[in-house]
Amino acid sequence: MRVAECFGRRARHIPEGELSGIEPWGRIFNDVLSNEKKESVVSEVLEYKSWVCLICGWIYNEEDGLPEEGIAAGTRFADIPDTWRCPLCDVGKDDFVAVEF
């Protein structure tokens, strides 16, 4: 953003390096310019859930996965194939519910 864009035709163009000499607007414009140049960093918080079988009580933890059955750690329950069965009592995914500890 340039000063001329903020004030319309009456403002003269001031190169970015010279904005600091104009008080108090110089500080404001320098802040705006520096904020435009910064990249936005978004931190993503991964919250894993645990799913319990309503029939036998076996628990699937998304964070751990089930490597012995080819399900990698971090695999969401929704991403497990619909054909997957409970390793303990052989029921389908429909018999599991999310739990919070």
Side-chain angles (χ1 to χ4, degrees):
M1 178 190 315
R2 295 184 174 143
V3 175
E5 293 171 352
C6 294
F7 290 108
R9 295 180 187 194
R10 286 184 262 171
R12 66 182 181 92
H13 171 71
I14 300 173
E16 287 181 26
E18 296 177 22
L19 289 178
S20 58
I22 304 171
E23 294 297 332
W25 297 108
R27 277 183 277 126
I28 295 170
F29 288 124
N30 279 334
D31 289 346
V32 169
L33 290 171
S34 66
N35 285 338
E36 287 178 354
K37 292 177 183 177
K38 290 180 184 175
E39 290 185 26
S40 175
V41 177
V42 178
S43 64
E44 184 177 331
V45 176
L46 296 176
E47 188 172 316
Y48 294 107
K49 294 182 180 178
S50 293
W51 295 78
V52 64
C53 176
L54 293 173
I55 306 304
C56 70
W58 185 84
I59 297 173
Y60 172 76
N61 185 336
E62 293 177 337
E63 187 173 9
D64 298 334
L66 196 56
E68 58 272 14
E69 291 195 20
I71 301 171
T75 302
R76 301 292 184 186
F77 190 75
D79 295 333
I80 295 174
D82 291 335
T83 57
W84 179 81
R85 311 292 290 176
C86 174
L88 196 57
C89 69
D90 200 42
V91 296
K93 286 177 58 176
D94 292 339
D95 290 310
F96 279 77
V97 292
V99 294
E100 293 184 31
F101 294 103

